Amino acid sequence: DTKIKNYITKNIIYCNTNDNIDTILSLLTKHKIKRLLVEDSMKLVGIISISDILNTDYNDEDKLSIIKNIWSITKNEQKNNLEIDEFYL
């Protein structure tokens, strides 16, 4: 009987609704994560992802830098499988 508690992240990184995009990007980059929980008054109010940010008007050069800092692409070595592994937003 496998319990979910064996798989959850215990060191939770989160941001606040009053944080700006630069702060969020800094957290994503520093911790090499793709999503942040968003809290307001100690209540979970949402989740923000790198995709959410990339779909804004944020500077394109900064967006590229963010992706490079957070993700690495792992090539799948199987001959008949050409998909990119571990690269998703």
Side-chain angles (χ1 to χ4, degrees), residues 37-86:
L37 297 177
V38 182
E39 66 88 19
D40 189 16
S41 301
M42 297 305 293
K43 290 178 78 176
L44 178 64
V45 295
I47 298 172
I48 188 162
S49 71
I50 193 66
S51 294
D52 297 329
I53 296 167
L54 293 176
N55 287 319
T56 67
D57 293 333
Y58 203 73
N59 179 313
D60 286 339
E61 195 170 301
D62 288 342
K63 289 178 186 179
L64 184 57
S65 175
I66 293 159
I67 292 172
K68 287 180 180 178
N69 285 328
I70 295 175
W71 288 288
S72 62
I73 298 174
T74 305
K75 183 180 177 189
N76 186 327
E77 298 297 332
Q78 294 177 357
K79 278 188 174 184
N80 297 326
N81 191 345
L82 300 176
E83 67 187 357
I84 296 174
D85 293 333
E86 297 192 27

Side-chain angles (χ1 to χ4, degrees), residues 13 27-29 31-36 50 70-71:
I13 311 297
L27 286 168
L28 292 170
T29 302
H31 298 284
K32 295 197 178 280
I33 55 178
K34 299 171 184 132
R35 294 169 194 83
L36 279 174
I50 193 66
I70 295 175
W71 288 288

